[in-house]
Amino acid sequence: MKRLGLVVVVLATLTACTSSPGHVPGDPAPVTVGPTGGTASALGPTRPPGRATPAGVPQFPTGYEVFEVTGHGVTARLTVPSGWSRTPITHDGAVGTQFVDPSGAQKFRVEILARADGRTARQGFEAYEPTVRLGEYRRLNLIDVPGVGESAVDWSFTFSDDHERRQVIDRMLVQGSAAVAVYYSTTQRDFERLMPIWQQAVERLVIESG
């Protein structure tokens, strides 16, 4: 619950003030974040080719499905793991869902919060970071993502939880009246192997305003 609160509070600090793109009359204007398209049946393999994953460690999902969440003037559409448990996110004005794999090691979230002021995504994260209170928190990177929403960053870090080292990648973008986050976390030793779960989500993420 503390990690969920972390992302919600970070979301509240993020803003950007540029005009929305044009759109076809009568239809919402899609803001494409990376390549779009595809349905659950067209998303390709659920795991990279290679040796089978050993038993007892986090696994790739059995498949993916298209998921939508709407709040604060936008709708986010992306692909999410099939067969993972789902918990609604409703804290501090956020709207979204957390997905947890059967092992409990992997956590994937998409959430939307109303933007708070005129900060860019980078300014919001840099203002918030000094308040982070995760065990043995270590920032790995904060990378601007050009051409995504009005402003976007990828925030990566590690921390310790229950004597286990975890790694996180969190894409935050601001668009119109909303801030949207796509978050993925797993054990650090499995992070690189499983990162395609997050990558396919952000590559197919579409934000519609209105």
Side-chain angles (χ1 to χ4, degrees):
M1 188 66 70
K2 290 182 179 178
R3 292 192 297 278
L4 179 61
L6 166 66
V7 176
V8 169
V9 175
V10 174
L11 279 167
T13 67
L14 302 176
T15 65
C17 291
T18 60
S19 60
S20 299
H23 64 279
V24 178
D27 293 325
V31 178
T32 302
V33 184
T36 63
T39 62
S41 61
L43 297 179
T46 58
R47 69 175 69 242
R51 293 181 298 176
T53 304
V57 299
Q59 306 281 338
F60 279 87
T62 56
Y64 299 95
E65 60 188 89
V66 177
F67 179 79
E68 283 188 4
V69 57
T70 298
H72 303 289
V74 303
T75 296
R77 183 181 303 109
L78 72 169
T79 54
V80 302
S82 299
W84 290 17
S85 66
R86 303 182 180 195
T87 303
I89 297 171
T90 58
H91 301 278
D92 301 318
V95 179
T97 299
Q98 174 166 271
F99 302 79
V100 179
D101 79 320
S103 76
Q106 299 182 82
K107 295 178 174 61
F108 178 91
R109 294 200 286 267
V110 55
E111 54 190 308
I112 305 173
L113 196 77
R115 66 181 194 179
D117 54 36
R119 291 175 179 170
T120 66
R122 170 171 283 272
Q123 289 170 339
F125 271 116
E126 290 178 340
Y128 179 75
E129 189 179 34
T131 71
V132 172
R133 295 295 180 267
L134 292 173
E136 299 180 53
Y137 166 82
R138 184 168 75 90
R139 172 174 158 179
L140 300 177
N141 222 330
L142 184 66
I143 302 173
D144 293 297
V145 186
V148 174
E150 295 176 4
S151 175
V153 293
D154 286 346
W155 180 29
S156 57
F157 61 93
T158 59
F159 68 99
S160 294
D161 180 45
D162 295 329
H163 309 291
E164 187 170 51
R165 200 71 183 157
R166 297 185 63 84
Q167 187 163 339
V168 175
I169 181 75
D170 191 359
R171 170 149 311 168
M172 166 58 61
L173 69 93
V174 288
Q175 175 64 37
S177 61
V180 181
V182 181
Y183 170 105
Y184 174 75
S185 171
T186 191
T187 50
Q188 187 173 26
R189 64 179 174 273
D190 297 305
F191 183 84
E192 291 299 328
R193 175 174 63 85
L194 297 170
M195 191 175 175
I197 296 171
W198 177 84
Q199 289 174 323
Q200 62 81 29
V202 296
E203 286 170 0
R204 293 177 170 90
L205 174 64
V206 174
I207 309 297
E208 294 181 347
S209 302

